[in-house]
């Protein structure tokens, strides 16, 4: 058997391993070591007659215990014979053992873990077979971590009697359409850089969860715990790090994690988003045009029947035909097709609907709305039943798109106008603002 090889325990100092037992474990080891030392020393003292021929074994054991605790001179054990050596050994144990265990306790209390974990994991289920859990953490040290690796293990305690525990290594990725891997690796992790791993869940007959091979069945996600492990090396000191975090079932919360806006021009502590690091927010997009039509929206967001709409009012904007489609939909078409957009207006208000989405959906929406800029309108939008922790985005036409909408060649597609009208009817919205915007624009409607 080759020692010092692959098992991580063989490369971990003994005091460090003992510290993992916790305070009660350290105390039990100390008491057990004292008891063994006292009994062994008492047997030696009794056999050699150190305390005199009339001293009982019990008294000899108490004498040895006193030496181990430093309450008695070790030379009382005799000269440098067996009893004397035993007395010295007990005295040494009385000094070294507490110091050593104290070191384990101090390590337990003050051990350095550079990984700062988000206390809850984010569960996202858009209802279209893309349910997943996201785990978040960041490098809380002042050093870069190199060779960072992340693994996730799911575990489930059965209801059998006696109960048993099933574990399952999970496949991970870092975002939509990324390949699944057993382990996510990053070459470096800079200080304060928030990172995420994403764990897709399985779905069988409407039940979302984890498939455990040993149990040969799917366990609902709300009954599963997850152990996430991060390892790597601090580049400044060369020290290896290994950090683990257990997410219990009640710590996997529905919602979307808070993004951190990285700005290298200011210190990390000033980056926007840290105040909401622990929040799980609900994410929505505000639709005011073709997204109101569930059939149109489903081409980007998936199953139309799974989409959740709620009528809302956005302040500070008004509806306008001001998004000239200079690319994409207008390619191969004579003239410039114009779609609905928003324009800022201090006293304006725009009626539309919010749709519950995931962060993966944001990527799809960005690809759909290539002539628009995504903006955060969380503070200026209201609707009945809005959750406390939420983020709402919408799309505002880019400057080039606005300029294109003012071209003499600009027009509105009949198919697009009909899709928007159907969306207004589907969501039960008043068409007054749509009629007003159409009247102001005065654009011709063409069949293309």
């Amino acid at each position: 058997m080759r020692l010092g090889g692959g098992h991580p325990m063989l490369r971990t100092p003994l005091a460090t391993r003992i510290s993992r037992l916790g305070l009660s474990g350290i105390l039990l080891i100390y008491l057990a070591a004292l008891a063994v030392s006292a009994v062994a020393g008492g047997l030696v003292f009794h056999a050699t007659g150190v305390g005199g021929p009339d001293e009982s074994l019990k008294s000899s054991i108490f004498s040895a215990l006193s030496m181990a605790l430093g309450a008695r001179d070790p030379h009382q054990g005799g000269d440098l014979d067996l009893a004397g050596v035993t007395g010295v050994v007990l005295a040494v144990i009385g000094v070294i053992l507490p110091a050593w265990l104290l070191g384990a306790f101090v390590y337990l209390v003050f051990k350095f873990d550079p990984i700062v974990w988000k206390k809850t994991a984010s569960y996202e289920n858009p209802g279209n077979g893309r349910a997943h859990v996201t785990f978040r953490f960041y490098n809380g040290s002042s050093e870069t971590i190199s060779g960072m690796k992340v693994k996730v293990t799911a575990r489930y305690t059965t209801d059998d009697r006696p109960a048993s525990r099933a574990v399952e290594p999970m496949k991970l990725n870092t975002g939509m359409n990324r390949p699944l891997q057993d382990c996510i690796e990053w070459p470096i992790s800079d200080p304060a850089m928030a990172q995420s791993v994403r764990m897709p869940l399985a779905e069988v007959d409407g039940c979302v969860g984890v498939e455990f091979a040993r149990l040969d069945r799917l366990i609902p996600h709300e009954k599963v715990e997850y152990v996430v492990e991060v390892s790597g090396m601090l580049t400044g000191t060369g020290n290896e790090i290994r950090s683990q975090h257990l997410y219990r079932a009640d710590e996997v919360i529905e919602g979307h994690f808070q993004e951190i806006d990285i700005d290298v021009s200011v210190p990390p502590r000033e980056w926007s988003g840290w105040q909401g690091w622990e929040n799980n927010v609900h994410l929505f997009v505000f639709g005011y045009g073709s997204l109101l039509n569930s059939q149109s929206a489903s081409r980007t967001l998936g199953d139309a029947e799974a989409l959740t709409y709620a009528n809302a009012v956005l302040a500070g904007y008004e509806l306008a035909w001001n998004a000239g489609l200079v690319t994409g939909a207008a390619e191969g078409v004579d003239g410039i097709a114009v779609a609905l957009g928003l324009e800022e207006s201090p006293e304006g208000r725009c009626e539309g609907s919010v749709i519950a989405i995931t962060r993966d959906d944001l990527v799809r929406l960005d690809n759909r709305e290539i002539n628009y800029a995504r903006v955060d309108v969380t503070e200026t939008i209201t609707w009945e039943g809005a959750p406390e922790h939420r983020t709402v985005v919408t799309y505002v036409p880019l400057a080039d798109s606005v300029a294109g909408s003012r071209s003499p060649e600009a027009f509105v597609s009949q198919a697009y106008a009909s899709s928007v009208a159907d969306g207004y009817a589907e969501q039960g919205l008043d068409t007054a603002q749509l009629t007003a915007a159409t009247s102001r624009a005065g654009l011709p409607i063409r069949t293309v």
Side-chain angles (χ1 to χ4, degrees):
M1 177 179 175
R2 182 171 66 87
L3 297 178
H7 198 287
M9 290 292 283
L10 297 177
R11 300 193 299 271
T12 306
L14 184 58
T16 302
R17 298 210 298 268
I18 290 177
S19 73
R20 294 172 180 166
L21 301 175
L23 179 59
S24 59
I26 292 173
L27 182 60
L28 286 174
I29 289 178
Y30 177 61
L31 294 176
L34 278 181
V36 170
S37 300
V39 172
L43 289 172
V44 172
F45 289 164
H46 186 70
T48 55
V50 169
D54 297 329
E55 185 175 52
S56 65
L57 176 60
K58 181 178 179 181
S59 297
S60 296
I61 290 175
F62 275 107
S63 295
L65 180 60
S66 297
M67 290 183 185
L69 292 172
R72 185 173 178 183
D73 186 351
H75 291 97
Q76 294 180 12
D79 298 325
L80 290 181
D81 52 12
L82 178 60
V85 171
T86 301
V88 172
V89 170
L90 288 172
V92 171
I93 290 175
V95 174
I96 293 179
L97 181 62
W100 181 59
L101 292 176
L102 178 62
F105 174 69
V106 169
Y107 178 84
L108 172 68
V109 176
F110 299 104
K111 64 181 178 180
F112 174 65
D113 184 350
I115 302 301
V116 179
W117 297 92
K118 185 175 182 293
K119 294 178 182 178
T120 59
S122 304
Y123 167 66
E124 302 185 49
N125 183 9
N128 51 13
R130 297 197 298 266
H132 59 273
V133 176
T134 302
F135 306 99
R136 292 272 281 171
F137 58 89
Y138 67 88
N139 175 3
S141 75
S142 58
E143 298 182 37
T144 296
I145 298 175
S146 65
M148 177 178 281
K149 298 180 179 180
V150 186
K151 297 181 179 180
V152 176
T153 302
R155 69 186 197 186
Y156 166 69
T157 302
T158 67
D159 296 327
D160 305 332
R161 291 292 179 268
S164 62
R165 176 171 288 171
V167 296
E168 188 75 21
M170 300 301 297
K171 296 285 188 180
L172 308 169
N173 62 18
T174 55
M176 183 185 67
N177 298 330
R178 300 289 180 86
L180 291 174
Q181 304 173 65
D182 295 324
C183 174
I184 298 297
E185 300 186 31
W186 282 284
I188 61 171
S189 172
D190 290 324
M193 194 64 65
Q195 292 171 279
S196 307
V197 292
R198 182 177 177 277
M199 183 190 73
L201 297 171
E203 184 170 351
V204 177
D205 296 331
C207 178
V208 177
V210 176
E211 290 182 323
F212 284 82
R214 185 172 74 83
L215 302 176
D216 193 27
R217 61 190 174 102
L218 182 140
I219 303 299
H221 76 91
E222 61 269 19
K223 296 184 178 181
V224 180
E225 298 177 334
Y226 306 98
V227 179
V228 187
E229 179 180 288
V230 172
S231 61
M233 183 180 72
L234 293 171
T235 56
T237 62
N239 292 335
E240 292 187 2
I241 62 107
R242 178 174 280 103
S243 178
Q244 286 188 341
H245 192 84
L246 169 64
Y247 289 95
R248 302 187 186 280
D250 60 354
E251 294 171 334
V252 180
I253 309 299
E254 185 173 4
H256 312 268
F257 59 81
Q258 171 68 53
E259 292 281 6
I260 306 298
D261 297 324
I262 299 171
D263 183 355
V264 295
S265 65
V266 298
R269 70 175 68 90
E270 298 179 17
W271 293 350
S272 173
W274 287 123
Q275 69 277 8
W277 168 255
E278 291 297 344
N279 291 345
N280 270 16
V281 300
H282 294 269
L283 189 60
F284 301 88
V285 62
F286 175 71
Y288 52 82
S290 60
L291 284 177
L292 297 173
N293 186 317
S294 61
Q295 294 302 316
S296 175
S298 68
R299 291 196 286 271
T300 302
L301 302 176
D303 185 6
E305 294 183 0
L307 297 178
T308 303
Y309 285 86
N311 290 347
V313 176
L314 174 64
Y317 290 91
E318 63 181 13
L319 195 66
W321 289 94
N322 64 345
L325 305 185
V326 295
T327 61
E331 291 178 357
V333 178
D334 292 334
I336 297 177
V338 178
L340 282 170
L342 296 172
E343 59 183 14
E344 291 189 53
S345 172
E347 303 301 323
R349 64 194 301 273
C350 177
E351 296 182 8
S353 294
V354 290
I355 311 169
I357 59 172
T358 70
R359 291 192 181 274
D360 285 351
D361 291 331
L362 280 180
V363 178
R364 300 182 180 92
L365 286 166
D366 288 348
N367 291 333
R368 172 187 175 119
E369 311 293 357
I370 57 175
N371 297 288
Y372 297 74
R374 188 206 316 161
V375 296
D376 188 320
V377 293
T378 305
E379 301 301 322
T380 55
I381 193 167
T382 55
W383 74 93
E384 185 176 353
E388 178 182 0
H389 298 295
R390 62 187 182 274
T391 295
V392 186
V393 300
T394 194
Y395 289 84
V396 176
L398 297 169
D400 287 347
S401 294
V402 174
S405 70
R406 296 169 180 166
S407 167
E409 300 178 345
F411 69 94
V412 175
S413 162
Q414 177 65 63
Y416 176 80
S418 297
S419 176
V420 171
D422 290 345
Y424 267 73
E426 181 180 351
Q427 306 308 327
L429 291 168
D430 188 343
T431 59
Q433 66 174 5
L434 179 60
T435 301
T438 303
S439 177
R440 287 196 305 271
L443 294 172
I445 298 178
R446 288 169 44 185
T447 301
V448 295

